[in-house]
Amino acid sequence: MANSDATTLHKPLGLLAELTHRCPLGCPYCSNPLALDKRADELDTATWMRVFKEAAGLGVLQVHLSGGEPGARRDLVEIASGARDAGLYTNLITSGVGITTRTMRDLWEAGLDHVQVSIQDADAVSADHIAGYKGGFQRKHALAAEAVRLGLMLTVNLVVHRANIERIGAMVDLALALKASRIEIAHVQYYGWALKNRAALMPTREQVERAAAEVEELRLRHKGKIVIDAVVPDYHARFPKPCVGGWGRRSLNVTPSGKVLPCHAAESIPDLEFWNVRDHSLEDIWTSSPAFNAFRGTAFLPEPCASCDRREIDFGGCRCQAFLLTGDARATDPVCHLSPNHGLVAELAEVQEDLAYAYRR
Amino acid sequence: MSYNVLCSFERFRGRERDDRARCAPAAAARLTHNEAQGGWVLLAPERIFKADAIATEILKRCTGEATFAAIVDDLAKTFNAPRDLVLADVSKLLAGLVEKKLLEL
């Protein structure tokens, strides 16, 4: 297998539209950056409409309306409608707090295709503690129920970490009770606020192993009834995750203020030059912006990746993680057991401290 | 985000078939056209199926109205193709997409 050439330009399939960084919840595992965009800097409705049209023209098929909490935008229905009119499959990723049943109905009428609601825990007190928001647990139920009543397909997203990892089974039961069609069980990935809270969130190896067995068992038990997709816990894996399906290859991310990133964490790599939709077309950015071309293909990868059979599968792992843990964004993601720095990840995976959460505010 | 691009339906061969079944996109799935991607695509959360020319002709007929048998008849007639061959193609495609929850019977 040859190293993929950086000049081979693929068409993106997905766009993550971070409509705002505002959010009523304060989840300590949030992957948003520590420096959040301000409301005054957010893109206006018309610009989002243009971005969606340009995205569809570029080949994008699905848009994920996310944040922050997208419900914090008063023009959310208009934005969703614009995405749908551009021909995009439109998915709303919400905390469930901040969207009224009325807005949910308007979104459905606007042609929204799918809703994803996150839940923090099966236990209400713990869930509200994790989210740093009293009463959030109940409000999510109401929103999920309304979405299902309207006939929208619901995915429930469970973010797993030390405080709730023992209750995965109960969380799956809760998702079933909410009539979800799909469950995403996602172990925390350590970027942004999650990185800041790493020692407070990190499960033990025994917990991770028990959880993996439990998820397999749940999949078998609910086969045919519900789809369970699982995101493996990075720091406990043998191989790294495939950097958003390849840097600048399948997806792009627009921040609330209009910067276009190859992935939501890309701003953690210093010295990358991101272009803004206020100044450039999406096509121009996808094709020519320095940030998108920085790690395209696999030719830049050092050993052990350069001669590895998996280099076109996982692209050497996550560039952001490589930088965050080794200081070199071109290095092999140290999650990989073949990385010379893998020992560091193994060490960090053993650090559990019962610290108070630094809530995302 | 992760995408499973579906391509292999081999393992769904031999599933029981119902000629009277009606097939339509699943609740959250939608058949859509995208010029830049070169044609028709069936979309669902985190799942994308890029339809080739044959799959497009089949999927366009899966509107929940025509029965399985009627779709096969129509395709065989429109493309002047042997019914057995068409039946095999349609069965294979639909079984795979139903399993992946992109289509519903």
Side-chain angles (χ1 to χ4, degrees):
Chain A
M1 201 160 32
N3 281 343
S4 58
D5 188 345
T7 58
T8 309
L9 196 60
H10 296 261
K11 291 177 194 299
L13 298 168
L15 172 77
L16 182 66
E18 292 180 342
L19 302 179
T20 178
H21 275 157
R22 289 174 284 145
C23 183
L25 306 191
C27 306
Y29 55 73
C30 186
S31 62
N32 282 160
L34 299 181
L36 298 166
D37 285 356
K38 292 181 188 64
R39 180 180 194 160
D41 296 331
E42 290 176 5
L43 296 178
D44 62 15
T45 323
T47 308
W48 278 115
M49 304 284 199
R50 172 172 62 80
V51 167
F52 296 146
K53 276 194 196 121
E54 290 177 354
L58 199 52
V60 168
L61 300 167
Q62 298 184 320
V63 62
H64 307 277
L65 304 177
S66 177
E69 168 49 54
R73 295 263 322 206
R74 290 205 188 127
D75 55 356
L76 177 61
V77 175
E78 229 178 313
I79 287 175
S81 174
R84 189 53 214 262
D85 289 346
L88 300 173
Y89 184 93
T90 308
N91 176 23
L92 177 71
I93 299 179
T94 175
S95 68
V97 178
I99 294 188
T100 62
T101 50
R102 169 72 197 273
T103 306
M104 198 67 246
R105 205 158 53 240
D106 293 344
L107 286 165
W108 175 72
E109 277 170 11
L112 186 72
D113 288 294
H114 176 256
V115 183
Q116 177 177 317
V117 177
S118 60
I119 56 172
Q120 277 66 37
D121 203 335
D123 174 88
V125 175
S126 171
D128 287 353
H129 171 68
I130 292 165
Y133 185 90
K134 271 215 171 90
F137 184 77
Q138 281 310 324
R139 294 175 66 171
K140 283 163 191 285
H141 281 240
L143 184 88
E146 179 64 8
V148 169
R149 195 188 67 76
L150 291 164
L152 273 160
M153 192 185 138
L154 175 71
T155 288
V156 168
N157 175 268
L158 317 173
V159 182
V160 174
H161 47 88
R162 195 164 77 247
N164 63 13
I165 194 166
E166 308 283 351
R167 282 185 292 279
I168 291 179
M171 287 194 281
V172 166
D173 287 343
L174 174 59
L176 285 164
L178 291 173
K179 298 198 172 67
S181 311
R182 183 173 160 269
I183 301 178
E184 228 177 57
I185 301 176
H187 283 262
V188 165
Q189 304 201 0
Y190 300 101
Y191 304 95
W193 293 83
L195 184 64
K196 193 179 169 76
N197 284 294
R198 184 171 55 198
L201 294 166
M202 185 69 73
T204 65
R205 178 163 290 279
E206 295 71 41
Q207 285 179 316
V208 166
E209 281 166 9
R210 275 203 303 276
E214 187 176 12
V215 169
E216 267 326 293
E217 196 268 320
L218 287 163
R219 265 200 180 128
L220 280 177
R221 194 193 317 161
H222 299 299
K223 195 174 190 302
K225 265 187 294 176
I226 194 159
V227 177
I228 300 181
D229 287 335
V231 175
V232 298
D234 253 5
Y235 281 40
H236 296 88
R238 262 168 65 79
F239 292 108
K241 59 181 176 290
C243 167
V244 288
W247 185 274
R249 188 180 171 111
R250 309 186 83 173
S251 58
L252 31 76
N253 176 39
V254 180
T255 70
S257 61
K259 268 190 264 181
V260 188
L261 321 177
C263 79
H264 63 276
E267 282 179 293
S268 38
I269 302 176
D271 305 325
L272 282 182
E273 185 187 332
F274 303 106
W275 288 1
N276 197 300
V277 293
R278 295 184 211 260
D279 312 315
H280 300 270
S281 74
L282 213 54
E283 183 177 11
D284 199 15
I285 297 171
W286 178 256
T287 316
S288 310
S289 76
F292 273 86
N293 283 321
F295 309 111
R296 271 204 167 109
T298 52
F300 70 89
L301 283 168
E303 291 293 355
C305 299
S307 59
C308 179
D309 285 345
R310 290 179 56 89
R311 71 181 176 277
E312 298 293 330
I313 298 170
D314 60 29
F315 311 98
C318 170
R319 295 303 95 220
C320 304
Q321 193 145 266
F323 173 77
L324 290 168
L325 298 181
T326 75
D328 177 6
R330 288 171 185 270
T332 300
D333 183 340
V335 159
C336 184
H337 72 291
L338 301 169
S339 157
N341 298 304
H342 183 65
L344 176 65
V345 173
E347 264 173 51
L348 290 169
E350 297 303 322
V351 181
Q352 287 92 23
E353 290 178 59
D354 286 321
L355 305 165
Y357 293 142
Y359 284 109
R360 170 219 193 270
R361 301 283 185 215
Chain B
M1 259 192 301
S2 67
Y3 296 102
N4 303 321
V5 177
L6 314 175
C7 53
S8 170
F9 307 112
E10 294 302 319
R11 66 197 173 95
F12 301 110
R13 274 187 177 159
R15 270 175 61 131
E16 207 172 310
R17 204 186 68 234
D18 178 359
D19 281 353
R20 293 158 304 172
R22 289 175 166 81
C23 214
R30 190 152 60 81
L31 187 65
T32 185
H33 189 267
N34 184 290
E35 199 63 45
Q37 294 290 354
W40 290 87
V41 198
L42 187 59
L43 298 167
E46 308 295 320
R47 282 167 174 77
I48 289 172
F49 173 72
K50 284 193 199 177
D52 60 16
I54 295 173
T56 299
E57 290 301 331
I58 298 171
L59 288 175
K60 278 184 176 173
R61 287 164 171 79
C62 294
T63 58
E65 281 162 28
T67 63
F68 180 84
I71 291 174
V72 173
D73 288 341
D74 183 25
L75 286 165
K77 199 176 143 208
T78 309
F79 295 98
N80 195 22
R83 195 177 189 280
D84 282 359
L85 197 71
V86 174
L87 190 133
D89 275 353
V90 177
S91 309
K92 196 165 110 175
L93 181 77
L94 298 194
L97 294 177
V98 165
E99 178 78 17
K100 291 285 180 186
K101 301 215 181 292
L102 280 161
L103 284 180
E104 279 171 357
L105 284 174

